[in-house]
Amino acid sequence: MDDQCDKCGICCKLFLINLNEEEYKSGNYKTMNQDFGYIDDFEDAEFRGANILETKEDGSCTYLKGVKCSIHNDRPQVCRNFFCRSKDPKWKGMIDTINDAKNIK
Ligand code: SF4
Ligand code: SF4
């Protein structure tokens, strides 16, 4: 169906995921460079990219297992908001990237 995510996992391989302030401060997510310490000020954390979810060597999200999200019920808000068949123009660039990746395969 066109209005449902079929959980192919492609978007989880292509994009960096920014945590919002509440998610970042919860400490519940593995983030980039977290071994270098936690940044209290969220604006500073955003500026430094410290609120971005950790990625694997291939660039995919650290929580992607196969094609499934291993934290589906607790996934970040941006993951809940995005849908690759959305008509909202704000997602167009990302959707184009997904379609390009599908065509290359
Ligand atoms: S939003 Fe689209 S690309 Fe992402 S998992 Fe769902 S169907 Fe796949
Ligand atoms: S948290 Fe889950 S839904 Fe979000 S990018 Fe990672 S694997 Fe995909």
Side-chain angles (χ1 to χ4, degrees):
M1 278 172 51
D2 248 20
D3 60 349
Q4 283 192 345
C5 168
D6 52 25
K7 301 186 175 69
C8 68
I10 290 178
C11 57
C12 311
K13 296 177 183 168
L14 293 175
F15 307 112
L16 295 175
I17 301 302
N18 286 275
L19 299 176
N20 64 29
E21 185 168 3
E22 187 184 337
E23 291 163 345
Y24 177 67
K25 290 188 169 173
S26 76
N28 291 335
Y29 298 91
K30 292 181 201 165
T31 49
M32 297 272 213
N33 304 324
Q34 64 182 11
D35 293 346
F36 294 107
Y38 177 77
I39 300 171
D40 285 327
D41 182 84
F42 184 67
E43 272 187 33
D44 194 24
E46 271 190 309
F47 179 73
R48 295 170 193 279
N51 66 322
I52 295 173
L53 279 190
E54 186 179 80
T55 58
K56 299 180 214 163
E57 276 186 17
D58 66 0
S60 64
C61 175
T62 195
Y63 294 111
L64 186 68
K65 305 287 180 233
V67 296
K68 301 266 187 263
C69 175
S70 61
I71 57 164
H72 184 71
N73 290 337
D74 299 309
R75 67 200 186 283
Q77 194 60 50
V78 287
C79 304
R80 295 169 192 272
N81 293 347
F82 177 74
F83 179 46
C84 66
R85 288 190 281 272
S86 167
K87 302 290 181 230
D88 190 327
K90 74 179 172 186
W91 302 125
K92 185 176 181 315
M94 290 171 69
I95 291 168
D96 287 347
T97 301
I98 288 173
N99 289 332
D100 287 348
K102 283 179 178 169
N103 289 334
I104 290 167
K105 280 203 298 181

